Amino acid sequence: MRNLILAVGLACTPVLASPTFIVLQDLPYTDTQEYVYKNIVRPAIVSADADFVIHGGDMQGSKAVCSYAGLKALRDDLYSLKPERVFLTPGDNDWTDCDRPSNAKPVSEYQALGWLRELFYEPAPKGLPEWQLARQDAFPENARWLVDNSLFVTLHILGTVNGRQQVYLDDPSYALEQVEARDKANHLWLQEALTVAKAHNVTHMVVAAHADITQLEGKPPCSRSRTSDCDPYQAYRKQLRDVAAEFGRPMLFIHGDTEPFCLDKNYGRKTATNLWRLNGAGDYNLIDALRINIGDKDTEPFSIKALTRDIAPPLCK
C-alpha cells in the first residue's frame, strides 16, 4: 500500500497520495491470451503498487464451460491478485453465455449466476476499513468504496442486450423480470453513489460496468414486448450524464465488452463536460491490464496507461 507523503516545505504535514488502481477485463479468451495473462500480466498486477483491482467482467471466453468448480478456480486466481482488494462486476461470458448451444456443456444462466454470487460474494472482499465499503442488498456485485477523496462504484450491466436475448435454458419471462430488477437496482445504486459523493465532498468518481452502453444507440428502447433490435442502455447513458452533471467534478465511466481500446473525453457531451468514458484493454486488441492514477482534478484527472508497456489509450473516434 502507498504511504503518506510529506509535502515539501511543510514539515510533518501529511498529504494523501492520489489513488492508483488496476483494471482488468475481457481476458483471457484464448490459450495464447491465457499464457500472456499468467506469465506477464498477472505477475505485474501482483507486484504493482496499487490500492486495488477492478475486474470489469469476462474472466473467460464466451464458449468456456461454466461450472461451480471452474468459477471457484477463477475466483481463487482473481482474489489472490490483491487479497481483500479485488472487485468484480460480472460480464456476460461469466454467466449469461453459459447456456449457449455452442457451449460444450450448457447450463442455466441463472444457475451460473447463483454460483457466481455464492463464490465471489459470500463472503466478498472487504477492502480496508477506512474505505467504508458498501454492497447493495440482493446485488452484492454492486459495490461502493472511498479511497482518499475519490469514490468508486460498480454496476452489473451486461451485453447480449443486457441479458434480454439468447435465454435458452430459463423461462424467458423470469429472465426479463430479473433484467428489470437489475436495471432498477443499478439505477438506485448510482443515485445513492451521487448522494454519498456529495456527503463526503469527493473530488473524483469512477463507475465501472461490463457492457459497452454506446452500443445500439438510435434503436427504440427495450421493453417487455420488445427484447431485440432495441436499445437496453438508453436510460443508463442518460443517468450517467445527469449524475455527472450534478456531481460537477471529474467522473470516469469504465467498460469493456467491445473494441477498440480508447478514451472518450467528450462522453458527457454538453450535458456533462466532466464525464469521460474508457473502453478498456482485453478482448482481442490490447492484451494487458490498465494502471489508472487519479490526478489533478482540473488538468489531467485520470492518467491511464497499459500496465506492462508504455501505451496510453487513443481517443475514441
Side-chain angles (χ1 to χ4, degrees):
M1 290 294 296
R2 297 167 295 110
N3 296 320
L4 294 177
I5 318 172
L6 293 182
V8 177
L10 298 174
C12 299
T13 302
V15 178
L16 284 171
S18 298
T20 297
F21 62 103
I22 291 169
V23 175
L24 177 68
Q25 62 197 21
D26 298 323
L27 182 72
Y29 284 174
T30 66
D31 290 344
T32 299
Q33 290 186 11
E34 179 83 20
Y35 179 87
V36 173
Y37 168 70
K38 286 186 175 179
N39 293 279
I40 300 175
V41 177
R42 190 183 197 286
I45 295 173
V46 171
S47 62
D49 182 18
D51 292 284
F52 57 86
V53 175
I54 295 176
H55 196 299
D58 276 11
M59 300 176 285
Q60 57 188 1
S62 61
K63 295 182 180 180
V65 171
C66 300
S67 67
Y68 189 92
L71 286 170
K72 183 176 183 298
L74 290 170
R75 178 204 65 187
D76 292 347
D77 174 81
L78 181 62
Y79 282 178
S80 65
L81 294 173
K82 300 285 181 191
E84 297 298 332
R85 293 183 287 132
V86 178
F87 302 92
L88 168 70
T89 179
D92 39 26
N93 290 2
D94 304 322
W95 67 276
T96 59
D97 291 350
C98 292
D99 62 348
R100 287 184 174 179
S102 57
N103 197 296
K105 295 182 180 179
V107 299
S108 154
E109 57 188 69
Y110 282 93
Q111 181 178 33
L113 178 60
W115 291 339
L116 189 149
R117 282 181 170 153
E118 175 187 342
L119 288 164
F120 283 82
Y121 308 110
E122 297 179 11
K126 298 177 181 178
L128 301 183
E130 59 267 30
W131 291 359
Q132 302 180 49
L133 173 66
R135 292 186 182 274
Q136 191 174 28
D137 291 343
F139 299 88
E141 61 274 15
N142 285 354
R144 180 184 69 233
W145 65 102
L146 288 155
V147 180
D148 298 340
N149 206 30
S150 298
L151 180 67
F152 299 86
V153 184
T154 55
L155 298 175
H156 191 174
I157 312 173
L158 300 158
T160 56
V161 198
N162 200 15
R164 287 175 171 82
Q165 284 190 348
Q166 300 177 346
V167 180
Y168 296 110
L169 298 177
D170 292 278
D171 180 353
S173 297
Y174 172 79
L176 288 176
E177 289 172 3
Q178 295 304 302
V179 171
E180 290 172 356
R182 193 171 66 251
D183 281 346
K184 181 178 179 180
N186 286 331
H187 178 85
L188 292 172
W189 195 240
L190 186 54
Q191 287 302 129
E192 285 184 20
L194 177 61
T195 301
V196 170
K198 289 180 176 179
H200 289 271
N201 195 28
V202 305
T203 58
H204 299 72
M205 192 188 308
V206 176
V207 179
H210 176 68
D212 181 354
I213 65 171
T214 68
Q215 299 292 298
L216 301 171
E217 193 166 0
K219 300 282 187 181
C222 294
S223 64
R224 277 291 184 105
S225 59
R226 184 163 195 153
T227 60
S228 62
D229 196 31
C230 59
D231 181 358
Y233 308 122
Q234 185 181 92
Y236 286 111
R237 290 191 299 271
K238 183 179 186 304
Q239 188 188 15
L240 275 168
R241 288 170 178 144
D242 289 346
V243 165
E246 190 169 345
F247 178 53
R249 295 175 177 182
M251 181 168 164
L252 176 65
F253 175 61
I254 302 172
H255 70 84
D257 196 32
T258 64
E259 302 178 45
F261 169 53
C262 66
L263 179 64
D264 184 353
K265 294 185 178 183
N266 298 307
Y267 187 61
R269 299 178 181 171
K270 293 181 180 179
T271 302
T273 57
N274 55 315
L275 176 61
W276 290 11
R277 174 182 69 91
L278 172 64
N279 191 345
D283 248 323
Y284 293 98
N285 54 100
L286 178 65
I287 308 306
D288 207 338
L290 300 177
R291 181 185 182 93
I292 302 178
N293 178 257
I294 298 205
D296 184 88
K297 70 182 181 68
D298 295 319
T299 56
E300 191 67 19
F302 306 103
S303 176
I304 306 163
K305 285 284 185 71
L307 181 61
T308 69
R309 48 197 135 166
D310 187 22
I311 299 176
L315 295 180
C316 299
K317 295 180 181 179

